Amino acid sequence: MEFLGKKPAATTLAVGNAAEDRALAHLQAAGLRLVERNYRTPGRGGGEIDLIVQDRDGTMVFVEVRSRGSKAFGGAGASIGRVKQQRIVFAARCYLMRLPAPPPCRFDAVLVEGESVQWLRGAFEAQ
């Protein structure tokens, strides 16, 4: 739908989904395999993991995808604060409890800024 000759701005959800698609394509091109997308913990106050992928060596990788139009205000990476990290770790623990034998794990981030995609392996540690 157009209004006064302008196309509507993309929704936040559409922008986020597009960033996740680009991040996943980047990771798959590097040989990682998708296990689950948008995993949410049950109940209120839990966390969400954008992508869960498995590396070639069997490591389970929990990936936070962040998107920004530019690097202004610290860019996409600056938005993964301590509280966000804690929620991701909580969600990862919930996910791992479902497995009979949890594999080695790591927490990565994929930053999508404009046309750039940057993959940060081991972006943070579980505390």
Side-chain angles (χ1 to χ4, degrees), residues 68 73-81 111 113:
R68 294 290 184 271
F73 306 106
S79 67
I80 308 174
L111 312 178
E113 295 172 328

Side-chain angles (χ1 to χ4, degrees), residues 1-57:
M1 172 192 292
E2 292 190 27
F3 182 72
L4 298 177
K6 293 184 180 181
K7 292 183 180 179
T11 65
T12 303
L13 180 61
V15 170
N17 286 340
E20 284 182 14
D21 290 343
R22 288 181 62 197
L24 179 58
H26 186 84
L27 296 171
Q28 288 176 323
L32 283 78
R33 181 182 62 83
L34 178 65
V35 175
E36 193 159 341
R37 187 169 177 166
N38 295 25
Y39 170 77
R40 296 182 194 280
T41 59
R44 293 182 52 199
E48 186 226 353
I49 300 170
D50 296 325
L51 300 171
I52 301 173
V53 295
Q54 192 164 31
D55 210 337
R56 292 177 184 183
D57 66 358

